[in-house]
């Protein structure tokens, strides 16, 4: 199978996934603003199509826009999510037709493409970028759907993360965390971070470069619900000592005392509302829907810390990390460019987000497509975000 066939197949898989996720919803649900944190589902569908037209037809094939208004309506930077339901966006029928028309024209053009020379380097990446973009929005769709708190049945959400029990528990003191209770030693030294050779890697994953790491320990698997429930029971949300000043200010303002979706039952046990289903909290599944401040506080309570993203990637490359891909794992690192970073193919994918406002997540979640679940992939978000499928993996200095 040549690269053209691979690209066509991956475009098809992404679109089947998108439409399948949305299929159970009527027009009212597709148009509804579920949360000010999220766009209406139909906005995401039309945005996916507009992005594809922008890059695979207008940038590569020099095509004209379907409608010039879409450059405003579906530009993620021009209108905050909380305002998108008030825009004159396409309805569900029109959005599906727009997406189908764009895809038909993309496939027609793709049939004429030969990936060679400079085109192999540039255009092949752009096709990969568009495919990954759709899968990333599919994960956003799933986050929006979960916030609906209505019963939602779909094969993709049948396994909320799988068992990650290791037979060991995280003890809330620094000696236990550093001493190996559920931790794996990583030698450190000179390690390579990032990539030059992954053809579909984003600009923020490049270039490959070396960093010096001191020896450290990293959790063999993400923190489980049972461990996180111990933190809650121990008064972790009321103990200012384990929170950073910014985290404690957020916790007091938000008034939250447990992860998103958790509910206390009459007998004192915890349940979790997940895609409209209220079930007993599964002890050995990864704790999910915690923000960076919560992850940092849990680490402080456990006598540990969050890994830096360089530590996380070094541990992943060495095979030290078990049970990745269940939840996104917060790191201690701000989202910053690598040495020698160059924006490609546009500044707005990465460069405009660099700084200390965003924290890096690694590893991918159960909702992340395998195309974006690689050791070098960098996700980022505000430290207060909980609607994403995020959890915690601990680290500690080696002693």
């Amino acid at each position: 199978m040549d690269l053209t066939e691979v690209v066509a197949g991956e475009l098809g898989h992404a679109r089947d996934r998108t439409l399948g996720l949305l299929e159970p919803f009527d027009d009212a649900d597709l148009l509804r603003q579920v949360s000010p944190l999220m766009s209406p589902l139909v906005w995401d569908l039309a945005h996916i199509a507009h992005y594809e037209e922008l890059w695979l037809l207008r940038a590569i094939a020099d095509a004209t826009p379907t409608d010039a208004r879409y450059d405003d309506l579906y530009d993620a930077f021009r209108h905050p999510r909380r305002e998108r339901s008030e825009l004159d966006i396409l309805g569900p029928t029109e959005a599906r037709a727009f997406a189908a028309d764009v895809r038909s024209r993309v496939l027609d053009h793709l049939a004429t493409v030969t990936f060679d020379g400079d085109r192999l380097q540039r255009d092949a990446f752009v096709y990969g970028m568009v495919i990954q973009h759709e899968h990333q929005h599919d994960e956003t769709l799933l986050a929006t759907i979960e916030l609906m708190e209505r019963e939602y049945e779909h094969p993709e959400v049948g396994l909320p993360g799988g068992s990650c029990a290791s037979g060991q528990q995280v003890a809330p003191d620094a000696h236990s965390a550093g001493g190996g209770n559920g931790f794996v030693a990583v030698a450190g030294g000179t390690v390579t971070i990032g990539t030059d050779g992954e053809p579909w890697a984003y600009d923020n994953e490049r270039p490959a470069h070396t960093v010096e790491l001191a020896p450290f320990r990293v959790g063999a698997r993400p923190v489980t619900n049972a461990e996180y429930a111990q933190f809650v029971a121990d008064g972790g949300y009321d103990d200012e000592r384990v929170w950073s000043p910014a985290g404690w200010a957020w916790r007091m303002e938000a008034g939250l005392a447990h992860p998103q979706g958790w509910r206390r039952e009459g007998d004192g046990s915890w349940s979790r509302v997940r895609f409209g289903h209220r079930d007993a909290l599964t002890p050995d599944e990864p704790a999910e829907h915690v923000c960076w401040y919560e992850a940092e506080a849990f680490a402080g309570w456990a006598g540990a810390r969050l890994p830096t993203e360089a530590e996380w990637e070094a541990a992943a490359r060495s095979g030290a990390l078990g049970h990745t891909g269940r939840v996104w794992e917060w790191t201690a690192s701000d989202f910053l460019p690598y040495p020698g970073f160059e924006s490609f193919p546009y500044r707005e994918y990465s460069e405009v987000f660099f700084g200390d406002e965003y924290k890096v997540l690694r590893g991918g979640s159960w909702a992340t497509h395998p195309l974006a679940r690689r050791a070098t992939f960098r996700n980022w978000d505000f430290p207060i975000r909980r609607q994403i499928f995020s959890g915690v993996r601990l680290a500690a200095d080696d002693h």
Side-chain angles (χ1 to χ4, degrees), residues 163-388:
S163 172
C164 68
S166 68
Q168 298 169 306
Q169 297 295 307
V170 176
D173 62 81
H175 174 74
S176 294
N181 235 8
F183 283 67
V184 178
V186 182
T190 303
V191 298
T192 299
I193 303 299
T195 181
D196 292 325
E198 169 59 48
W200 285 3
Y202 288 118
D203 57 3
N204 63 66
E205 300 173 63
R206 303 170 184 271
H209 59 287
T210 58
V211 299
E212 294 294 327
L213 295 178
F216 64 98
R217 294 180 179 272
V218 66
R221 45 35 178 190
V223 169
T224 64
N225 285 327
E227 291 162 348
Y228 203 94
Q230 186 182 355
F231 167 63
V232 176
D234 197 47
Y237 276 86
D238 298 314
D239 186 352
E240 185 176 357
R241 295 171 300 174
V242 302
W243 295 78
S244 65
W248 183 248
W250 167 82
R251 180 261 176 270
M252 296 300 293
E253 180 181 358
L256 301 173
H258 54 74
Q260 178 181 298
W262 285 29
R263 302 288 187 272
R264 180 73 82 176
E265 298 298 319
D267 63 0
S269 65
W270 289 102
S271 62
R272 180 179 64 171
V273 177
R274 186 171 186 276
F275 292 96
H277 299 277
R278 185 165 178 162
D279 300 305
L281 197 67
T282 305
D284 63 357
E285 285 178 3
E288 187 180 53
H289 291 308
V290 297
C291 73
W292 187 86
Y293 288 135
E294 291 168 294
E296 180 192 42
F298 180 93
W301 169 84
R305 59 178 174 80
L306 299 179
T308 67
E309 66 166 324
E311 288 175 332
W312 191 99
E313 187 171 327
R317 289 175 182 266
S318 73
L321 301 186
H323 305 285
T324 56
R326 309 296 176 83
V327 288
W328 285 103
E329 300 173 17
W330 289 107
T331 74
S333 300
D334 297 334
F335 185 51
L336 298 172
Y338 289 158
F341 166 84
E342 294 182 5
S343 293
F344 180 78
Y346 63 110
R347 290 185 62 249
E348 288 77 12
Y349 183 76
S350 302
E351 186 175 344
V352 298
F353 297 101
F354 289 145
D356 60 6
E357 289 187 316
Y358 297 92
K359 296 297 183 180
V360 174
L361 304 100
R362 290 299 197 104
S365 78
W366 61 267
T368 307
H369 192 270
L371 286 175
R373 204 183 291 151
R374 53 183 174 266
T376 59
F377 190 95
R378 307 172 75 195
N379 192 6
W380 66 93
D381 215 326
F382 292 112
I384 63 173
R385 289 292 185 251
R386 291 162 33 112
Q387 83 276 16
I388 58 177

Side-chain angles (χ1 to χ4, degrees), residues 26-301:
D26 60 22
D27 286 4
D29 277 332
L30 293 173
L31 288 163
R32 182 157 67 97
Q33 183 87 44
V34 174
S35 163
L37 297 175
M38 311 304 287
S39 308
L41 296 172
V42 74
W43 185 93
D44 280 280
L45 175 59
H47 167 77
I48 288 168
H50 176 258
Y51 190 90
E52 183 173 331
E53 179 183 73
L54 188 65
W55 287 103
L56 301 189
L57 293 177
R58 292 164 60 180
I60 288 180
D62 199 29
T64 58
T66 297
D67 189 323
R69 295 176 304 150
Y70 298 170
D71 286 353
D72 175 76
L73 291 174
Y74 298 111
D75 185 324
F77 290 90
R78 298 192 187 187
H79 303 283
R81 289 178 174 180
R82 64 181 178 273
E83 297 177 0
R84 291 171 186 171
S85 64
E86 302 170 6
L87 302 174
D88 186 23
I89 60 177
L90 295 173
T93 299
E94 294 78 16
R96 289 190 187 96
F98 174 46
D101 177 65
V102 169
R103 176 55 55 82
S104 176
R105 289 185 287 142
V106 164
L107 294 178
D108 286 345
H109 177 74
L110 182 61
T112 71
V113 169
T114 301
F115 291 106
D116 57 10
D118 292 340
R119 171 164 279 175
L120 177 63
Q121 299 299 315
R122 179 186 182 279
D123 289 0
F125 168 80
V126 173
Y127 279 98
M129 178 184 74
V130 169
I131 292 165
Q132 291 180 94
H133 175 265
E134 181 156 357
H135 283 303
Q136 288 170 264
H137 270 273
D138 287 347
E139 184 162 355
T140 301
L141 293 176
L142 284 163
T144 305
I145 292 166
E146 186 164 27
L147 289 174
M148 289 179 169
E149 294 196 357
R150 54 159 280 179
E151 290 193 5
Y152 179 73
E153 307 288 346
H154 190 277
E156 188 157 333
V157 300
L159 296 174
S163 172
C164 68
S166 68
Q168 298 169 306
Q169 297 295 307
V170 176
D173 62 81
H175 174 74
S176 294
N181 235 8
F183 283 67
V184 178
V186 182
T190 303
V191 298
T192 299
I193 303 299
T195 181
D196 292 325
E198 169 59 48
W200 285 3
Y202 288 118
D203 57 3
N204 63 66
E205 300 173 63
R206 303 170 184 271
H209 59 287
T210 58
V211 299
E212 294 294 327
L213 295 178
F216 64 98
R217 294 180 179 272
V218 66
R221 45 35 178 190
V223 169
T224 64
N225 285 327
E227 291 162 348
Y228 203 94
Q230 186 182 355
F231 167 63
V232 176
D234 197 47
Y237 276 86
D238 298 314
D239 186 352
E240 185 176 357
R241 295 171 300 174
V242 302
W243 295 78
S244 65
W248 183 248
W250 167 82
R251 180 261 176 270
M252 296 300 293
E253 180 181 358
L256 301 173
H258 54 74
Q260 178 181 298
W262 285 29
R263 302 288 187 272
R264 180 73 82 176
E265 298 298 319
D267 63 0
S269 65
W270 289 102
S271 62
R272 180 179 64 171
V273 177
R274 186 171 186 276
F275 292 96
H277 299 277
R278 185 165 178 162
D279 300 305
L281 197 67
T282 305
D284 63 357
E285 285 178 3
E288 187 180 53
H289 291 308
V290 297
C291 73
W292 187 86
Y293 288 135
E294 291 168 294
E296 180 192 42
F298 180 93
W301 169 84

